[in-house]
C-alpha cells in the first residue's frame, strides 16, 4: 500500500519530517540526567499502565546515530526532537555537562545527515526539584524556564533551523493539573488556572531571552482537538463551545490577541494569579511560526451532574485508533484554515505532530500498518486542501519516528513509523515508513 500523493503535490520547499520527544525515547537513566516529575508520577500507583517509566525507553541516548540514519533513509527533510530539562539541569539549578554534550553531538549528527533540526525546549520533563517548588503553579517557573532555554540555546542554538519553546501548553496545564492525567497528576482548579497562565508566561520570558541573544525562527507548539457537540441540543452545543474555549482558544487567543476567552475566565477568574492581565502584553509578542499538533476530535455532551465545565466526552461513531481516538482528518483542515483566518494570518504554520497508535505486530520481519498509511494519507490530503484554501502551512511532521513511551499508557501504545522491540531495541521500519520513502524520495 502506498500514499496517494508525491512530494511534488506540495509547494516547493514544503518540509516532511519525523518527530520525537526526549523523555519518550532517550532513556532518562543514562548520562546523569536528574529525576523529572514524570519519574515521580510514574512511581505513584495507578498513574501509568504497568508503572512503566522512561528510564530506558528506546535507548536513543546511545542509539541516536542509527535513529538519525533511519530519518535520512526515509527521505525526510527535518527532525523534530526535544531537549530534556531534567537532563540539562538535573537539580533544576546546576548544569550537567554530559547532558549538554549529548545535545551538541545530536545537533551535529542531525546536520551531518542533511536534516533540519527542529528543537522543542520543553516536552514535559520538568526537573523534580522544580516540581517540589510548585512547578508550573509557581510564577517563578517563567524565569527558571528562560534560564534553561538560554543555557540550551547558547550551546546548540546556532545550529537549529527552528526552535519552539513549549510543547502543548494545554497538556502541561489542564491535562496535568485539572484532570490529573499527566504529571504532576493534580486535580485542582486553582493549580489549573495558575499553570494555564504560567505556561504562557514561561513561553514569553524564554522568547524574550532568546530574541535578546539573537536567535531566530522561534515559535511554540499548540495542540488542537475538534470539539464536536454530541447532539444538536443547545446544552451540548454550548458544552462543545466551552471545550473549544479551554482547549483550543485559551492559548491561541492569548498569543495572538493578548486576551483569554471571557467564558473561561468567568470560571477561572478567582483562581488566576493576581495581576495576570499585566503579562498579556508579553505573552502576545509575535512568534515566527506556529506548531500545530492534531490527532482527533471529541464528542462533547453537557453534564449537569459535574462541576464546571459541566461536560463529558461520549463515544462517537467514527473509526478509532488504538487510543480510542476518532479518525477525523477534516478537523485538521478546519484548524489550519481557522488559525490562518482568525488568529495567525500569514505566520507560517507547521504541523508538528500527527499520527496514530495501532496494535502493530512484526510478522515475517515486516509490520504491515495499512491503517497508519491511510491515516497519514487522509491527513496529508487535509493539509493540501488547507494550503489550497490559503493557509500558510510549510511542513508536516509525522508522530512518531519510533514506537515510544506513550506517557500514562506506557509502552502499550505504538505510534511509530518504525517498530521498536523493547527487549532487544531492534528497529523495524513499518510499511508506513516505506510509504513515506517512496512518496517523498528517499533511497
Ligand atoms: C501528544 C504528545 C506526544 C505524544 C502524542 C501521541 O500529545 O505531544 O508526546 O504523546 O500526543
Amino acid at each position: 500500500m502506498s500514499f496517494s500523493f508525491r512530494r511534488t503535490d506540495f509547494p516547493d520547499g514544503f518540509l516532511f519530517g519525523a518527530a520525537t520527544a526526549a523523555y519518550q525515547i532517550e532513556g532518562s537513566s543514562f548520562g546523569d540526567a536528574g529525576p523529572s516529575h514524570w519519574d515521580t508520577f510514574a512511581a505513584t500507583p495507578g498513574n501509568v499502565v504497568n508503572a512503566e517509566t522512561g528510564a530506558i525507553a528506546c535507548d536513543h541516548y546511545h542509539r541516536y546515530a542509527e535513529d538519525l540514519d533511519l530519518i535520512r533513509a526515509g527521505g525526510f527533510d527535518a527532525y523534530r526532537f526535544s531537549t530534556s530539562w531534567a537532563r540539562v539541569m538535573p537539580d533544576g539549578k546546576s548544569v550537567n555537562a554530559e547532558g549538554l554534550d549529548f545535545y551538541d553531538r545530536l545537533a551535529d549528527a542531525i546536520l551531518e545527515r542533511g536534516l533540519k533540526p527542529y528543537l522543542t525546549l520543553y516536552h514535559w520533563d520538568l526537573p523534580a526539584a522544580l516540581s517540589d517548588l510548585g512547578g508550573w503553579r509557581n510564577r517563578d517557573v517563567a524565569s527558571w524556564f528562560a534560564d534553561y532555554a538560554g543555557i540550551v540555546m547558547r550551546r546548540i542554538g546556532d545550529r537549529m533551523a527552528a526552535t519552539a519553546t513549549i510543547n502543548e501548553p494545554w497538556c502541561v496545564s489542564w491535562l496535568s493539573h485539572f484532570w490529573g492525567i499527566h504529571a504532576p497528576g493534580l486535580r485542582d482548579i486553582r493549580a489549573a488556572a495558575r499553570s494555564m497562565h504560567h505556561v504562557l508566561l514561561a513561553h514569553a520570558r524564554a522568547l524574550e531571552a532568546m530574541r535578546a541573544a539573537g536567535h531566530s525562527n522561534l515559535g511554540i507548539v499548540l495542540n488542537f482537538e475538534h470539539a464536536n457537540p454530541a447532539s444538536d441540543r443547545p446544552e451540548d452545543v454550548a458544552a462543545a463551545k466551552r471545550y473549544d474555549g479551554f482547549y483550543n482558544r485559551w492559548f491561541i487567543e492569548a498569543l495572538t490577541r493578548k486576551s483569554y476567552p471571557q467564558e473561561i475566565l468567568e470560571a477561572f477568574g478567582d483562581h488566576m494569579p493576581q495581576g495576570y492581565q499585566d503579562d498579556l502584553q508579553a505573552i502576545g509578542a509575535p512568534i515566527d511560526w506556529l506548531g500545530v499538533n492534531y490527532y482527533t476530535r471529541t464528542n462533547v455532551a453537557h453534564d449537569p451532574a459535574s462541576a464546571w465545565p459541566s461536560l463529558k466526552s461520549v463515544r462517537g461513531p467514527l473509526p478509532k485508533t488504538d487510543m480510542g481516538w476518532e479518525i477525523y482528518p477534516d478537523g485538521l483542515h478546519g484548524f489550519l484554515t481557522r488559525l490562518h483566518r482568525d488568529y495567525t494570518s500569514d505566520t507560517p504554520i507547521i504541523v508538528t505532530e500527527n499520527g496514530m497508535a495501532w496494535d502493530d505486530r512484526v510478522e515475517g520481519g515486516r509490520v504491515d500498518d495499512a491503517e497508519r498509511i491511510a491515516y497519514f494519507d487522509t491527513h496529508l490530503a487535509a493539509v493540501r486542501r488547507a494550503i489550497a484554501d490559503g493557509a500558510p502551512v510549510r511542513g508536516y511532521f509525522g508522530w512518531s519516528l519510533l514506537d515510544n513511551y506513550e506517557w500514562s499508557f506506557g509502552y502499550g501504545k505504538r505510534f511509530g513509523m518504525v517498530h521498536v522491540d523493547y527487549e532487544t531495541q531492534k528497529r523495524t521500519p513499518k510499511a508506513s515508513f516505506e510509504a513515506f520513502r517512496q512518496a517523498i524520495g528517499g533511497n
Side-chain angles (χ1 to χ4, degrees):
M1 201 181 159
S2 53
F3 287 134
S4 64
F5 67 90
R6 324 257 347 136
R7 184 185 275 282
T8 47
D9 294 327
F10 287 81
D12 276 354
F14 188 87
L15 289 181
F16 289 92
T20 65
Y23 191 78
Q24 295 178 275
I25 63 165
E26 285 178 359
S28 63
S29 57
F30 306 125
D32 280 343
S36 78
H37 68 171
W38 264 96
D39 295 303
T40 47
F41 180 76
T44 308
N47 283 343
V48 177
V49 173
N50 297 326
E52 288 165 339
T53 74
I56 309 287
C58 306
D59 189 25
H60 175 76
Y61 187 79
H62 299 108
R63 295 167 196 263
Y64 68 91
E66 175 192 347
D67 294 338
L68 296 176
D69 285 345
L70 278 169
I71 306 176
R72 168 105 191 92
F76 294 100
D77 311 300
Y79 175 45
R80 175 172 179 243
F81 69 105
S82 76
T83 48
S84 159
W85 194 346
R87 177 179 299 291
V88 172
M89 303 178 81
D91 61 1
K93 284 196 294 254
S94 33
V95 174
N96 169 24
E98 215 178 318
L100 279 183
D101 288 350
F102 171 67
Y103 293 120
D104 193 68
R105 289 196 298 278
L106 185 69
D108 284 343
I110 296 169
L111 291 178
E112 276 160 21
R113 287 160 179 82
L115 299 166
K116 289 189 169 33
Y118 268 64
L119 165 65
T120 302
L121 288 160
Y122 186 70
H123 203 127
W124 308 352
D125 24 22
L126 182 75
L130 299 181
S131 189
D132 292 341
L133 302 177
W136 294 102
R137 283 175 294 161
N138 186 335
R139 182 182 172 85
D140 292 343
V141 73
S143 55
W144 304 335
F145 181 64
D147 290 347
Y148 154 71
I151 288 165
V152 172
M153 293 302 277
R154 263 196 295 286
R155 188 64 183 271
I156 63 170
D158 57 330
R159 281 155 287 166
M160 296 301 108
T163 300
T165 51
I166 291 173
N167 180 68
E168 302 190 346
W170 180 84
C171 292
V172 172
S173 53
W174 187 285
L175 186 69
S176 307
H177 295 80
F178 200 35
W179 287 352
I181 292 169
H182 278 187
L186 298 177
R187 294 171 54 77
D188 181 305
I189 194 170
R190 191 172 172 85
R194 277 155 196 270
S195 59
M196 295 269 280
H197 181 66
H198 293 151
V199 70
L200 287 169
L201 184 62
H203 154 79
R205 292 288 174 254
L207 202 75
E208 284 162 9
M210 290 191 284
R211 291 232 189 274
H215 298 292
S216 53
N217 211 12
L218 309 175
I220 185 169
V221 172
L222 304 183
N223 55 317
F224 295 92
E225 194 166 289
H226 179 79
N228 186 47
S231 80
D232 299 341
R233 288 171 34 223
E235 311 87 275
D236 289 345
V237 172
K241 190 157 176 266
R242 288 197 295 284
Y243 193 95
D244 189 56
F246 66 70
Y247 202 123
N248 301 314
R249 286 171 46 212
W250 180 268
F251 303 98
I252 195 64
E253 292 195 359
L255 290 164
T256 60
R257 297 182 182 170
K258 306 183 167 103
S259 64
Y260 290 127
Q262 199 46 45
E263 76 242 52
I264 308 302
L265 275 180
E266 276 159 21
F268 262 13
D270 294 347
H271 309 292
M272 290 292 283
Q274 245 201 342
Y276 75 86
Q277 298 88 341
D278 301 339
D279 299 326
L280 286 164
Q281 194 60 29
I283 289 172
I287 50 175
D288 303 317
W289 61 280
L290 175 70
V292 170
N293 292 358
Y294 175 83
Y295 289 93
T296 188
R297 73 172 191 181
T298 295
N299 299 285
V300 187
H302 180 55
D303 180 8
S306 86
W308 181 90
S310 308
L311 50 79
K312 60 185 174 195
S313 294
V314 298
R315 197 179 156 81
L318 300 180
K320 295 170 189 61
T321 72
D322 200 32
M323 300 292 283
W325 297 351
E326 282 194 317
I327 299 174
Y328 186 60
D330 283 352
L332 179 56
H333 171 267
F335 279 118
L336 295 174
T337 50
R338 176 182 171 194
L339 285 164
H340 164 62
R341 185 188 64 227
D342 294 349
Y343 297 107
T344 49
S345 184
D346 292 332
T347 303
I349 297 176
I350 307 268
V351 177
T352 32
E353 284 182 32
N354 178 239
M356 68 174 275
W358 198 250
D359 187 16
D360 301 309
R361 307 286 162 98
V362 185
E363 276 157 19
R366 290 179 39 87
V367 182
D368 183 14
D369 58 340
E371 294 79 6
R372 186 173 290 103
I373 294 177
Y375 183 101
F376 281 137
D377 202 46
T378 50
H379 286 80
L380 276 158
V383 171
R384 269 193 331 272
R385 276 191 287 125
I387 294 172
D389 292 340
V393 188
R394 300 286 150 75
Y396 174 96
F397 288 76
W399 182 270
S400 180
L401 174 66
L402 304 171
D403 291 339
N404 60 48
Y405 180 70
E406 181 45 34
W407 308 112
S408 51
F409 292 90
Y411 293 96
K413 301 294 177 199
R414 294 183 177 273
F415 273 93
M417 296 181 253
V418 174
H419 181 276
V420 177
D421 178 332
Y422 296 111
E423 299 286 304
T424 61
Q425 294 294 350
K426 182 175 163 50
R427 274 73 165 142
T428 305
K430 303 179 189 177
S432 57
F433 180 91
E434 286 302 317
F436 267 114
R437 197 175 61 83
Q438 282 167 26
I440 65 179
N443 34 60

